[in-house]
């Protein structure tokens, strides 16, 4: 079992740009209610990848470039944001079809 990370961190997705699937990793230093979502450049929430309480640790989530309805999103730049009660971090990703 890995030791708990020292901080809240949201890593850059890999690969980026991506075509069919990308992986997003994050770490929590303590248990927290987590929301990891994908957003358009205009701030519209397109997909929720993680929602709910998670214990301290490292997490990895795969995303296939689809929205909540399962529709493939168009090529372009998107943002993913990790929010907990006390922290928020946003990064950019590029989807190429």
């Amino acid at each position: 079992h890995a030791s708990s990370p020292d901080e809240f961190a949201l890593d850059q997705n890999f690969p980026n740009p991506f075509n069919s699937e990308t992986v997003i990793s994050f770490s929590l230093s303590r248990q927290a209610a987590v929301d990891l979502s994908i957003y358009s450049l205009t701030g519209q929430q397109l997909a929720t990848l993680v929602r709910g309480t998670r214990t301290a640790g490292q997490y990895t989530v795969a995303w296939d470039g689809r929205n909540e309805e399962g529709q493939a999103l168009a090529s372009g730049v998107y943002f993913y944001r990790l929010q907990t009660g006390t922290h928020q971090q946003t990064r950019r990703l590029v989807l190429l079809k």
Side-chain angles (χ1 to χ4, degrees), residues 21-91:
E21 186 174 89
T22 191
V23 173
I24 298 169
S25 299
F26 65 94
S27 53
L28 301 172
S29 57
R30 61 179 57 91
Q31 179 173 307
V34 173
D35 185 307
L36 175 61
S37 296
I38 306 289
Y39 295 87
S40 67
L41 288 176
T42 59
Q44 178 185 4
Q45 186 171 344
L46 302 171
T48 301
L49 305 184
V50 178
R51 178 169 285 147
T53 301
R54 298 292 185 271
T55 57
Q58 300 260 355
Y59 294 88
T60 303
V61 182
W63 182 52
D64 62 3
R66 295 182 181 276
N67 66 12
E68 293 289 334
E69 288 78 43
Q71 299 163 318
L73 297 175
S75 295
V77 176
Y78 296 90
F79 292 104
Y80 58 103
R81 182 169 68 200
L82 179 65
Q83 291 179 277
T84 67
T86 54
H87 295 85
Q88 175 177 305
Q89 194 168 358
T90 303
R91 290 189 182 272

Side-chain angles (χ1 to χ4, degrees), residues 9-27:
L10 178 62
D11 299 330
Q12 184 64 51
N13 65 301
F14 182 84
N16 188 36
F18 76 101
N19 172 268
S20 59
E21 186 174 89
T22 191
V23 173
I24 298 169
S25 299
F26 65 94
S27 53

